[in-house]
Each structure stands twice: as C-alpha cells, then as structure tokens.
C-alpha cells in the first residue's frame, strides 16, 4: 500500500509538471521584424560590452529566443532584421563603462536592464533609469493590470520624485542620452552621477538593486540609509569635473560637444531641496600624529596654545573647502598653522580685514593634515563652514570659541582697554607698564570677586573700567569685584577694570568664579620688564 501511495504521488507530480504552461511558439510567418540600435550608458560602455535581447510573447514572458551583440567604443550597438514574437523585449547590457565622476574606467563590470516597447522606436538606449524602472513596471502591470505605458510613466515619475525632478519634462528613459542637450538627457546624467558618487562599481550595482527592491511594491524609497547615501554623495560631487570628463571622453571618441546638458542644475536643485539626512562621505579622524583633529571633534571650546590637527580623510573623488570666519576677537592674528607641514591643503592668505581664511584640497584617496593652533593672547570666536565640491552652500557649519569661554557662559575677552588677564595661560608672562584688564562678558546678572596677590616689588595702578566694578587694597594685594546687569543694558553685559603694573614678580589671581569642571578660576602670571 505504501509503495502504491508513493507511485501515485510521483505520477501526480509528473502530471502537474506536464501541465505547466510554456510559451507557445509563434509561427515563423507571424513573427515581427525589427531593427534595433542604441547605446549602453552609465558613462558609455566600453568596446566589446555585451548586449542581450530577449524575445517576449504577448504575455511578456520570455520565448527562449535571444539575440546578442557587442558594443563599439561609444557604447553603441545595432542589430538588423530581428524576428520577434511581440513588440516587447527585455534588454541587458553588461560590461565596463566610463565613470563620468572620476574620469576613469570602472573597476568592475556593471549590468543594466531595460524593458521596452519597440513600436515606433528607432533608438533604444539602456541606462540607469531603464534599470531602476524595470521591476516596478512589471510589478504594476502584473498586480494592478496597468498598461505598459501607464506603468512606465508611473514608475519613471516615482524614480524622479526621489531626486525632486518629477516636475521636469522627461521623455521615455530609453530615448535619453547623456551626450545630448535635452532636459531629459540632463536628468539622466544627473541621476547617473548621483548614483555613482564616490562609489565603486560594486557599490553602484548594490545601490540600484537595493533601490529597486525597496520601491518595487509601493513606488516609494523608504530606506533612510539609501536616502542619506544619495544626498551625501550628491552634495560632494564636483560638477565642473563631471562636465569636463564628459566633454573630454566624447572628444576622445570623436564627438565634439559644444555644450553639456544642464545636469548640474538638476543636481544643485536636489542638493538644496532634498529633505534626506546628509551624512558626509569624507571622514574626519579623531586624531592624527599632529594632535586632536580640530575638524572632527564634537566639542566647540578650543584650548589656547594647543596644537590641533586639521585633517580630512579624502574619498577617491571629490573636493573639500573649509572656510574659517572670525566672528569676535582680534582680527590681526586669530589662529596660526605650520606652513611647512600643510600636506594636501592649499591655504589662502589670511584676510585681516574680513577675518577670513580658506583651506582647500583636491588630493584624493589620502589623509590630509596641517598643524593649527590658537595663540594664547586673547578671546576669539569663529564660524567654521564645510563646503564639498564647489557647492554654493555649506554642507555643515559650527562655531568655536577660545580664550576662556566655559560652560557657565562667561567670556573673558580682550577690549580696547587691554588684553584680558583671565584669558592668559597659567604661568604666562606679562609686561610692566602695560595696560591689561580683568573683565567678564556674560548674559544676565553676576557678581564675581577676584583677589590679586603679589609681592611688594609690584605696584598696581587702576586706570579705570567699564560696567559695574570696584577695587580695594587687601593684605598682600588687591580685591576686585565685577557685577553684571541685564544683558543689553548700557554696559552690554560687560564689566571690566583696567590695570597697569610696575615692577617684577609673580601675580596670582584667585576668584570665586566656578568653572564647568568644578574648580574655581585661578591664574598665575609673571610680570617682567
């Protein structure tokens, strides 16, 4: 009985397999004849790349009939007299391509697909847009019974919406060409460049596959990691380099492009309007042999007279520009760097009028660094802006301060009355017969007392002050009291006293001002002639 059951099950399996629908061959006399030509592009695929054409029946199923052709050096292919079962074919391009972002050949082969209706088409191109829309078109036709044209239009619109390009006039993806000047051609080159970014070919292939899977059923790119990757690579593109690369490549192929399409405007619009989260692909190491990396640190208070690294690990393709703008403090010499060690950086001359300096690098696939320091003779505040690949807007910005700023909100900055003794490093040297201040800038009310202790060889003189201040002699020195009123009053939140010392010796400053680390502000200065 057991053997009988097994035999019956085996027979049923054979029956079901024999009943599986196979494509019904179309009689030779009913086959349609087509001439197919076009280009395989990312940048253009190289000479000898493979293009496969798969015949589909009226239900869009493969018939088993296939045709193969190789591209020329321009990525162009052509097949004449193809006899096909319907107007629809699946096309697959496979090969190395010219990387329009880096200006080099791809490091690996790339496969791109297209699902197209040949009716009325003289040129059929295979590109990243035909590849991205391929699975979505088939899903919409199968699950929602949409016509090919409706599914194709919806799929393309969903893809362009990712890049904020859905309002543009774009033709069928298979009609677009990165070497042509139409608006749709510009869209193709823009999307192609964004997908490439500084990625390897394998990473470009994976990115497209992940996008296709994510969007297949609902037409929406939900993956926030992919979103962030797209905008991050896009903002770091060097648009001028891409333009030059396209022109030079097609010139090499014997095609002179007087202009390149407006792909750059589409990328700029995406960069400026996208709500995707930007995460720079450039890396900022926490420290180098020079010291803590000033560009990568997550705190904004700089220590005086401390050497910092000014370092970036550059991607394989890209440009970075760092702009430092002084917001407060002395403009004459707010920071300094070791010019002999500016490996990888091109540094502009410091503009003492505007208080600005620019650090630029295009040295790719390397860690660039320059030692930088903030001198210990005053308070300063600066805006640091990070620009990638000639973008008109900074990818990010931050404000830093130096010279005594602490978490309590106190700022010890210099004034026309003199340099602030509270901003000097411990054991710094000051000069006899020179005006200095002890001063505070702070929002709101405060009342801080300072004791200046010094030997009899030093004679102080109070030269005046600003805000609410007082001073009196005490045993072994002087006591100073500074008070704050509401910020925005006539004192501007500033209270300071101007002092001048005669003689030589050590001056110790003690206070009841508690700093963020729990200690009280204290300083020691050496008065010399």
């Amino acid at each position: 009985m057991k053997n009988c059951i097994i035999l019956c099950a085996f027979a049923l399996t054979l029956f079901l397999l024999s009943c599986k629908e196979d494509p019904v061959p179309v009689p030779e006399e009913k086959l349609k004849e087509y001439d197919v030509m076009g280009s395989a592009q990312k940048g253009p695929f190289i000479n000898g790349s493979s293009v496969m054409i798969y015949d589909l029946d009226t239900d869009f199923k493969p018939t088993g009939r296939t045709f193969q052709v190789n591209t020329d050096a321009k990525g162009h292919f052509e097949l004449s007299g193809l006899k096909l079962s319907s107007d629809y074919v699946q096309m697959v391009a496979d090969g190395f391509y010219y990387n329009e972002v880096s200006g080099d050949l791809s490091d690996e082969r790339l496969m791109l697909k297209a699902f197209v209706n040949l009716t009325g088409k003289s040129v059929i191109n295979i590109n990243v847009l035909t590849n991205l829309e391929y699975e979505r078109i088939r899903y919409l036709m199968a699950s929602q019974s949409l016509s090919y044209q409706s599914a194709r239009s919806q799929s393309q619109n969903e893809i362009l919406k990712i890049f904020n390009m859905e309002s543009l006039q774009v033709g069928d993806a298979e009609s677009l060409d990165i070497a042509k000047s139409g608006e749709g051609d510009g869209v193709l080159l823009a999307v192609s460049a964004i997908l490439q970014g500084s990625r390897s070919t394998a990473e470009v292939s994976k990115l497209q596959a992940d996008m296709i899977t994510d969007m297949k059923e609902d037409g929406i790119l939900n993956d926030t990691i992919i979103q962030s990757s797209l905008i991050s690579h896009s903002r770091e593109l060097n648009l001028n380099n891409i333009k030059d690369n396209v022109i030079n490549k097609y010139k090499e192929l014997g095609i002179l492009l007087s202009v390149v399409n407006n792909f750059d405007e589409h990328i700029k619009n995406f960069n400026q309007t996208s709500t995707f989260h930007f995460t720079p692909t450039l890396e900022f190491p926490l420290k180098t042999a020079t010291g803590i990396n000033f560009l990568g640190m997550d705190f904004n208070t700089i220590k005086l007279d401390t050497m910092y690294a000014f370092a970036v690990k550059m991607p394989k393709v890209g440009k970075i520009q760092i702009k430092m703008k002084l917001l407060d403090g002395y403009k004459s010499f707010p920071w300094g760097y070791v010019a002999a060690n500016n490996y990888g950086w091109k540094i502009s001359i410091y503009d003492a009028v505007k208080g600005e300096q620019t650090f630029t690098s295009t040295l790719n696939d390397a860690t660039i660094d320059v030692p930088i320091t903030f001198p210990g003779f005053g308070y300063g505040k600066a805006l640091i802006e990070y620009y990638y690949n000639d973008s008109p807007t900074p990818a990010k910005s931050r404000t830093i301060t130096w010279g005594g700023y602490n978490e309590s909100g106190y700022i010890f900055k210099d004034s026309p009355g003199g340099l602030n003794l509270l901003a000097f490093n411990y054991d710094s040297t000051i000069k006899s017969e020179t005006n200095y201040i002890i001063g505070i800038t702070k929002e709101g009310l405060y009342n801080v007392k300072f004791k200046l202790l010094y030997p009899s060889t030093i004679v102080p003189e109070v030269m005046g002050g600003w805000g609410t201040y007082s001073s009196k002699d005490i045993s072994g020195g002087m006591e100073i009291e500074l008070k704050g009123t509401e910020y925005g009053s006539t004192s501007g939140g500033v209270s300071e006293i101007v002092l001048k010392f005669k003689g030589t010796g050590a001056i110790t400053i003690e206070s009841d001002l508690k700093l963020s680390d729990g200690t009280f502000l204290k300083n020691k200065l050496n008065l010399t002639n």
Side-chain angles (χ1 to χ4, degrees), residues 149-291:
Q149 188 58 36
S150 295
R152 192 210 61 78
S153 296
Q154 180 174 328
S155 176
Q156 184 183 86
N157 188 70
E158 291 164 347
I159 293 167
L160 296 182
K161 192 172 183 178
I162 297 171
F163 304 96
N164 294 357
M165 301 178 192
E166 70 273 19
S167 64
L168 301 175
Q169 298 299 313
V170 180
D172 294 347
E174 62 268 20
S175 68
L176 304 179
D177 188 332
I178 65 171
K180 293 186 176 179
S181 57
E183 185 165 67
D185 304 311
V187 167
L188 173 61
L189 182 53
V191 173
S192 181
I194 292 170
L195 294 177
Q196 182 66 64
S198 58
R199 301 177 181 91
S200 67
T201 306
E203 290 169 337
V204 171
S205 182
K206 181 179 184 302
L207 174 64
Q208 292 187 83
D210 290 344
M211 292 176 66
I212 290 167
T213 300
D214 185 275
M215 298 181 65
K216 181 177 178 180
E217 295 186 2
D218 63 5
I220 300 172
L221 183 63
N222 299 294
D223 192 319
T224 56
I225 295 177
I226 297 177
Q227 293 175 1
S228 178
S229 178
L230 290 173
I231 190 61
S232 299
H233 280 259
S234 180
R235 287 189 181 177
E236 295 176 7
L237 290 171
N238 189 318
L239 305 184
N240 290 330
N241 280 1
I242 295 172
K243 188 175 297 185
D244 291 341
N245 290 341
V246 171
I247 291 174
N248 292 336
K249 181 58 179 179
Y250 278 95
K251 182 179 180 181
E252 176 189 315
L253 297 173
I255 301 174
L256 297 179
L257 301 179
S258 57
V259 294
V260 177
N261 56 55
N262 60 344
F263 78 96
D264 50 338
E265 296 302 320
H266 302 320
I267 292 178
K268 289 176 184 177
N269 178 69
F270 175 55
N271 292 345
Q272 294 168 6
T273 62
S274 177
T275 58
F276 295 162
H277 177 69
F278 172 72
T279 304
T281 62
L282 293 93
E283 298 179 27
F284 300 95
L286 294 178
K287 62 187 303 184
T288 70
T290 302

Side-chain angles (χ1 to χ4, degrees), residues 337-358:
Y337 59 90
V338 182
N341 296 333
N342 61 336
Y343 175 70
W345 287 108
K346 180 180 180 181
I347 305 174
S348 71
I349 297 174
Y350 174 69
D351 187 332
V353 176
K354 295 182 178 179
E356 294 181 1
Q357 193 164 27
T358 302

Side-chain angles (χ1 to χ4, degrees), residues 114-130:
F115 175 37
V116 295
N117 182 348
L118 298 176
T119 304
K121 299 288 180 64
S122 59
V123 174
I124 302 293
N125 296 325
I126 309 170
N127 51 57
V128 293
L129 288 179
T130 64

Side-chain angles (χ1 to χ4, degrees), residues 354-424:
K354 295 182 178 179
E356 294 181 1
Q357 193 164 27
T358 302
F359 300 74
T360 306
S361 183
T362 55
L363 181 63
N364 297 123
D365 205 18
T367 297
I368 55 177
D369 192 6
V370 60
I372 193 167
T373 187
F374 297 82
F377 53 76
Y379 165 80
K381 185 177 184 181
L383 175 67
I384 314 300
E385 295 180 320
Y386 299 65
Y387 293 84
Y388 302 133
N389 295 314
D390 298 318
S391 170
T393 56
K396 68 173 183 176
S397 59
R398 50 195 282 253
T399 301
I400 61 167
T401 59
W402 61 91
Y405 187 87
N406 63 74
E407 294 175 10
S408 302
Y410 293 94
I411 300 174
F412 312 113
K413 65 179 181 178
D414 305 327
S415 80
L419 300 180
N420 197 334
L421 296 180
L422 302 180
F424 277 78

